[in-house]
């Protein structure tokens, strides 16, 4: 099992640890509800070093990224980040990812830990077809990079203490390469998976310990705490952010998943299976991923059936939890046509009972 | 780890405290720690006669769902209704405020088959 550059800190802090995507990761430290609340109200630190990082560089980099991702890379400018996905050649999704543009010949792709090998093989296959040199123009840096996500309304204010560069006023989904906590060439990105604001900071493994110590020292006066993967999941679900493997997978179209906004059918964006997804968008899909909140008391869980008032199966839950902020069960489900409108009543089968729920709009938790 | 000496325990991490003909049942400190934040308790067996090891309710943590089993046969005479609004009491006070059900013990001889505190401690540390 792989360890990150921060694993010893988690162990020293007494975190509940478990294998996740081949890494030994912290699930919780003080408890999911406490950690979740800390991120929503103050700031918390996630070790996200398990994420994968691929570089695409050189004269063919733009065409490569444009082909393998669904969003329009031409819309990116230097210093901007884009949420996107890799469509596969079967109409589904290989993974979702972030695309960073450093220059017109330099892009960073940040992918899910669980999919690093699959994504790499997929990228290599397509890059080779386009004539990119693997190892030179497409580089897998996943094992060399450590990453912390500092998330919460006070995150940027606290991190500003560690750099002379201006970070507190950075726009969402932008990045800078800066000297941070005395470390040079730090990638500072105002991205995240919590909806609470904040940043994600990438360094080389050898600078990881220095980064961790500096971040906690700077955040101490604001009430900073380490946050595990448990709260990462409840935070993202309150926002209705997709989790690969739950809400999207090799068989779901981004159109079905509500990711039409990152699937751009503009001139010049000839991504893999574009015409298939465009047809789905124009002709409509049979099922769609929709967020819902429980009206009856109960907690929806992945794979629970969704039924209508007559008891007919109309869908399946892909993610569910008790919302720590709303104190209410929340989830997402693929639902048949006719049950997509906000306010529509649906029923979740929980231990052979049908509990009433209601389709809602995103984000599920409206601060 | 808090394992009171005056209680009996099951391998499924329930405790039982006998008071005359009645007994209180809950989950252990070890169990609540493993589950993490408890957010929902569902017990719909009030008034029912249940066999030993039959499910009397369900406990949900943020990430997991677990059934709870009868340590001995008995009739469920009371459910801790306060847990509906304060499920976190199971985390904070598993042997006190976090009790789950009160039962009429069907066959007191079954109590002898349960683990004492030392045996339970050994079972979770072993």
């Amino acid at each position: 099992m792989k360890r990150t550059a921060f694993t010893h800190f988690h162990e020293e802090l007494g975190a509940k640890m478990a294998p996740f995507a081949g890494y030994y990761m912290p699930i919780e430290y003080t408890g999911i509800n406490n950690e979740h609340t800390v991120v929503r109200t103050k700031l918390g630190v996630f070790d996200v070093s398990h994420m994968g990082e691929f570089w695409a560089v050189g004269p063919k980099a733009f065409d490569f990224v444009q082909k393998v991702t669904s969003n329009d890379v031409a819309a990116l400018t230097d210093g901007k980040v884009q949420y996107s996905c890799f469509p596969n050649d079967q109409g589904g999704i290989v993974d979702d990812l972030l695309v960073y543009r450093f220059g017109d010949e330099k892009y960073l792709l940040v992918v899910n830990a669980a999919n690093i090998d699959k994504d790499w093989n997929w990228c290599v296959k397509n890059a080779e077809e386009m004539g990119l040199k693997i190892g030179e123009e497409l580089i897998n840096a996943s094992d060399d990079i450590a990453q912390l996500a500092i998330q919460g309304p006070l995150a940027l204010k606290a991190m500003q203490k560690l750099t002379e560069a201006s970070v507190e006023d950075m726009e969402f989904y932008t990045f800078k390469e800066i000297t941070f906590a005395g470390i040079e060439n730090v990638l500072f990105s105002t991205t995240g998976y919590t909806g609470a604001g904040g940043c994600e900071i990438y360094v080389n493994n050898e600078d990881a310990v220095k980064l961790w110590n500096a971040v906690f020292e700077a955040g101490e006066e604001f009430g900073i705490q380490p946050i595990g993967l448990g709260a990462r999941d409840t935070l993202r679900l309150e926002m209705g952010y997709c989790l690969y493997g739950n809400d999207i997978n090799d068989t779901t179209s981004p159109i079905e998943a509500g990711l039409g906004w990152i699937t751009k059918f503009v001139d010049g964006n000839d991504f893999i299976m574009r015409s298939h997804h465009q047809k789905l968008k124009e002709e409509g899909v049979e099922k769609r991923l929709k967020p819902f909140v429980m009206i009856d008391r109960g907690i929806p869980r992945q794979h629970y059936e969704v039924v209508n008032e007559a008891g007919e199966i109309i869908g399946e839950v892909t993610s569910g939890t008790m919302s720590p902020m709303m104190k209410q069960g929340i989830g997402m489900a693929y639902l048949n046509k006719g049950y997509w409108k906000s306010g529509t009543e649906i029923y979740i089968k929980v231990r052979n009972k049908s509990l009433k729920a209601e389709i809602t709009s995103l984000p599920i938790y409206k601060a | 780890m808090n394992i009171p000496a005056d209680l009996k325990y099951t391998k499924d991490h329930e405790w039982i405290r006998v008071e005359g003909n009645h007994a209180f049942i809950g989950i252990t400190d070890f169990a609540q720690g493993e589950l993490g934040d408890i957010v929902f308790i569902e017990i719909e067996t009030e008034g029912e006669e249940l066999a030993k090891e039959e499910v009397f309710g369900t406990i949900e943590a943020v990430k997991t769902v677990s059934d709870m089993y009868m340590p001995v046969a008995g009739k469920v005479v009371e459910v801790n209704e306060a847990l509906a609004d304060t499920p976190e009491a199971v985390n904070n006070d598993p042997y006190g405020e976090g009790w789950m059900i009160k039962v009429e013990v069907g066959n007191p001889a079954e109590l002898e088959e349960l683990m004492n505190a030392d045996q339970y401690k050994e079972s979770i540390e072993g």
Side-chain angles (χ1 to χ4, degrees):
Chain A
M1 185 135 29
K2 286 187 178 176
R3 295 167 65 88
T4 76
F6 305 111
T7 306
H8 63 287
F9 287 120
H10 311 317
E11 291 172 328
E12 282 163 23
L13 287 163
K16 200 179 282 182
M17 304 289 291
F20 177 82
Y23 287 82
Y24 190 53
M25 297 298 287
I27 304 303
E28 60 177 77
Y29 303 81
T30 56
I32 293 175
N33 284 332
N34 168 265
E35 291 167 35
H36 184 111
T37 307
V38 164
V39 173
R40 284 267 179 264
T41 58
K42 294 185 269 182
L43 74 171
V45 181
F46 304 75
D47 175 7
V48 282
S49 304
H50 57 314
M51 302 293 283
E53 293 87 8
F54 305 158
W55 289 100
V57 295
K60 293 171 184 145
F62 171 82
D63 287 340
F64 165 73
V65 181
Q66 189 71 307
K67 184 184 175 190
V68 295
T69 65
S70 59
N71 211 331
D72 182 20
V73 185
L76 266 180
T77 53
D78 293 355
K80 288 225 161 30
V81 191
Q82 192 177 63
Y83 178 54
S84 196
C85 72
F86 294 130
N88 67 19
D89 54 8
Q90 307 290 314
I93 300 172
V94 180
D95 201 2
D96 59 342
L97 74 154
L98 294 181
V99 178
Y100 289 73
R101 178 176 147 139
F102 284 71
D104 58 355
E105 296 194 352
K106 187 177 180 186
Y107 300 88
L108 176 67
L109 313 181
V110 180
V111 305
N112 282 304
N115 294 331
I116 291 175
D117 291 345
K118 182 178 74 164
D119 293 346
W120 178 246
N121 292 337
W122 177 252
C123 285
V124 165
K125 175 179 175 281
N126 284 286
E128 280 178 337
E129 283 172 10
M130 298 180 74
L132 281 81
K133 294 191 197 80
I134 308 306
E136 285 177 38
E137 293 177 304
L138 181 68
I139 300 155
N140 186 350
S142 303
D143 287 341
D144 307 325
I145 295 175
Q147 188 191 349
L148 292 181
I150 298 94
Q151 299 279 295
L154 304 179
L156 292 181
K157 186 175 182 174
M159 294 304 101
Q160 184 63 71
K161 290 165 66 182
L162 295 172
T163 181
E164 286 173 15
S166 173
V167 295
E168 210 180 335
D169 58 353
M170 282 173 69
E171 276 177 41
F172 195 45
Y173 267 62
T174 62
F175 70 94
K176 286 178 179 173
E177 287 177 283
I178 59 175
T179 298
F180 186 87
I183 308 163
E184 288 177 9
N185 298 315
V186 170
L187 170 52
F188 190 100
S189 166
T190 48
T191 46
Y193 196 43
T194 64
C199 58
E200 296 179 301
I201 303 175
Y202 302 72
V203 297
N204 291 320
N205 282 334
E206 53 267 31
D207 295 318
V209 168
K210 192 174 180 184
L211 176 68
W212 176 282
N213 289 328
V215 164
F216 276 92
E217 201 182 312
E220 196 181 356
E221 63 174 299
F222 301 100
I224 201 166
Q225 284 188 33
I227 314 293
L229 292 178
R232 186 168 164 82
D233 190 52
T234 53
L235 286 157
R236 71 93 193 167
L237 189 49
E238 279 187 342
M239 290 297 110
Y241 295 160
C242 287
L243 172 62
Y244 193 90
N246 279 44
D247 313 303
I248 50 177
N249 61 40
D250 291 307
T251 66
T252 56
S253 162
I255 305 302
E256 293 170 331
L259 297 178
W261 62 282
I262 61 161
T263 309
K264 296 281 171 61
F265 305 109
V266 295
D267 285 351
N269 189 21
D270 293 315
F271 59 87
I272 292 162
M273 294 290 278
R274 170 182 162 143
S275 57
H276 167 79
H277 297 294
Q278 192 158 6
K279 198 168 163 226
L280 285 181
K281 183 161 189 176
E282 283 160 8
E283 294 179 2
V285 290
E286 294 301 312
K287 58 170 187 172
R288 285 204 66 160
L289 186 66
K290 286 289 162 183
F292 63 88
V293 293
M294 298 302 299
I295 295 171
D296 290 339
R297 283 176 72 98
I299 306 173
R301 305 281 182 185
Q302 190 181 17
H303 302 312
Y304 283 7
E305 280 176 353
V306 185
V307 298
N308 59 17
E309 201 165 5
E312 298 158 330
I313 295 174
I314 56 165
E316 185 181 305
V317 176
T318 54
S319 285
T321 192
M322 176 69 97
S323 159
M325 302 311 287
M326 299 157 72
K327 306 286 179 206
Q328 212 175 354
I330 60 169
M332 295 203 283
Y334 278 101
L335 296 171
N336 293 346
K337 204 183 280 182
Y339 300 93
W340 298 344
K341 223 177 138 219
S342 190
T344 305
E345 281 183 1
I346 58 172
Y347 296 83
I348 313 297
K349 296 284 274 187
V350 180
R351 294 184 285 280
N352 293 322
K353 283 187 298 188
S354 293
L355 302 182
K356 195 187 281 185
E358 179 181 88
I359 305 298
T360 187
S361 57
L362 293 176
I364 299 176
Y365 168 61
K366 295 156 181 79
Chain B
M1 185 82 53
N2 182 6
I3 307 176
D6 57 334
L7 307 182
K8 295 277 196 174
Y9 299 90
T10 71
K11 62 175 174 21
D12 301 309
H13 313 290
E14 288 91 14
W15 57 261
I16 182 165
R17 186 177 73 238
V18 180
E19 292 184 3
N21 292 332
H22 289 101
F24 289 86
I25 292 168
I27 67 161
T28 66
D29 187 34
F30 174 79
Q32 69 78 17
E34 290 294 299
L35 286 166
D37 289 344
I38 290 157
V39 290
F40 192 57
I41 315 267
E42 186 177 84
I43 302 172
E44 297 180 330
T45 49
E46 189 165 359
E48 291 182 25
E49 299 262 7
L50 299 177
K52 179 182 161 87
E53 290 178 3
E54 203 169 338
V55 173
F56 70 81
T58 308
I59 185 164
E60 299 205 37
V62 179
K63 302 295 289 180
T64 53
V65 186
S66 296
D67 287 331
M68 296 182 287
Y69 302 92
M70 293 289 281
V72 295
K75 182 180 179 183
V76 180
V77 294
E78 196 179 335
V79 170
N80 185 356
E81 303 290 351
L83 297 181
D85 293 322
T86 56
E88 64 274 15
V90 180
N91 292 117
N92 300 335
D93 189 10
Y95 303 110
E97 302 270 306
W99 66 277
M100 299 284 171
I101 54 172
K102 184 180 175 186
V103 300
E104 274 173 20
V105 178
N107 176 7
E110 284 177 349
L111 291 163
E112 302 308 314
E113 299 162 17
L114 299 171
M115 287 183 270
N116 64 30
D118 287 341
Q119 290 165 327
Y120 179 63
K121 185 164 188 280
E122 204 170 299
S123 78
I124 56 180
E125 285 172 355

